[in-house]
Amino acid sequence: MRVSPIAFLKYAFFLLLGLAITYYLFKTQYHSNFIADLGKADKDWILLTAITGLIPHFFRALRWKLLLQPIQKKPTSTLNAFNAIMIGYLANLALPRAGELLRCAWLSKKEEISTISLIGTVITERIIDLLVLVIMVLIGLGLYFEIILHFIKGIDFKTLILAKLYLAVALIIFLMMMAFVVFKIFTSQNKMAVKIKGFLMQLKEGLLSLKRIKSPYLFVFYTIAIWFFYILSSYCGFKMMNQTAMLNFSDALLTVIAGSFGMIAPIQGGIGAFHFMVSQCLVFLNINAGAALVYATILHAIQTLVVIVFGTLALVIGVAYQPHKKLNGTKP
């Protein structure tokens, strides 16, 4: 696959940014017992953290299957959906956001579904997860309102309100421009406009799959299960270290919120950004900065190792397992 110079520079920039953040963290929070603290982490809790961190990917595959029901004639293989997700995560370690496209292309090849329609379902997934994250942020604000209020007492609210106003105006202008562009596409008969229109219609099919889900309550259950196990994995991670063992489930919720924002950054594997957000979250919870960095490092290593192991297995299984298709009118 050919990579344009601009794309290469973008990936290189964000990789360097992640490494710079990592360097800053280790320069300011590294302590003499860092390596020793890594070695002292409880191995049983590390394993449990890895297992509970893998389970959400399985529930994500089941949820994706529900989204695919309205746009596919035959049921999607759970193994294929799971493998596609893990391969996508594996790709994201090298090329952020490319994994979303790769997982769609992979499943399209395995299940003979339109790649564009699959992209629509992935966008739907991301919208749902974003809404869940917003709800979790609101819950976090409620749980830690007094601490947060004390923290923001020194902020200049006049400046904050002005910044929000500028942001709102910029957003309105952007939405108006996008509406104008979409209008032009759908009213033009230009070849390029027709192609874009076709792309948008296939994308719409994937997005509207949410309305045609046969088991909406099961979809909600899978969504809750995904985020519950994310939080449970973070909570199990607390038990790896004596310095964080006293933290509770609501603290794990806050850590997942912080880690999610760290992973949103278009940096390879969330390196640096994840460490910063999670460690600063623990500092906010009155954990020593050095111990907070140890926890963030171990948790990131566990999550990355799970993706590497199961992403690689998914590739091997996907390449090795190629079921033979039966031709019409032939007998096995």
Side-chain angles (χ1 to χ4, degrees), residues 45-102:
W45 282 109
I46 288 177
L47 179 60
L48 196 56
T49 301
I51 293 171
T52 51
L54 176 64
I55 292 173
H57 303 319
F58 176 71
F59 279 112
R60 192 173 288 280
L62 294 177
R63 188 180 70 172
W64 197 17
K65 282 182 62 178
L66 290 181
L67 281 173
L68 296 176
Q69 283 179 353
I71 62 174
Q72 191 181 22
K73 296 177 181 178
K74 61 178 182 177
T76 306
S77 163
T78 302
L79 180 62
N80 283 340
F82 177 78
N83 284 346
I85 287 170
M86 297 313 299
I87 289 168
Y89 285 141
L90 184 64
N92 280 338
L93 294 179
L95 301 174
R97 306 294 175 264
E100 308 301 342
L101 297 176
L102 182 59

Side-chain angles (χ1 to χ4, degrees), residues 21 97 133 255-278 300:
I21 296 171
R97 306 294 175 264
L133 185 58
T255 306
V256 168
I257 294 171
S260 297
F261 281 112
M263 295 304 291
I264 287 173
I267 298 174
Q268 287 82 341
I271 185 171
F274 179 89
H275 296 73
F276 176 80
M277 293 300 295
V278 171
H300 184 266

Side-chain angles (χ1 to χ4, degrees), residues 107-122:
L107 194 64
S108 175
K109 182 180 178 182
K110 293 292 181 181
E111 297 285 340
E112 298 180 354
I113 314 173
S114 164
T115 303
I116 303 301
S117 296
L118 286 170
I119 291 172
T121 62
V122 170

Side-chain angles (χ1 to χ4, degrees), residues 98-162:
E100 308 301 342
L101 297 176
L102 182 59
R103 85 182 237 196
C104 292
W106 181 272
L107 194 64
S108 175
K109 182 180 178 182
K110 293 292 181 181
E111 297 285 340
E112 298 180 354
I113 314 173
S114 164
T115 303
I116 303 301
S117 296
L118 286 170
I119 291 172
T121 62
V122 170
I123 292 174
T124 302
E125 273 196 313
R126 290 294 169 258
I127 292 171
I128 295 298
D129 287 334
L130 182 60
L131 289 175
V132 173
L133 185 58
V134 169
I135 292 170
M136 287 171 57
V137 168
L138 293 175
I139 294 172
L141 287 172
L143 291 172
Y144 297 90
F145 181 75
E146 291 185 7
I147 300 175
I148 294 170
L149 188 64
H150 177 75
F151 177 75
I152 64 175
K153 274 185 178 179
I155 294 178
D156 182 359
F157 283 95
K158 188 182 290 185
T159 304
L160 187 63
I161 292 171
L162 194 60

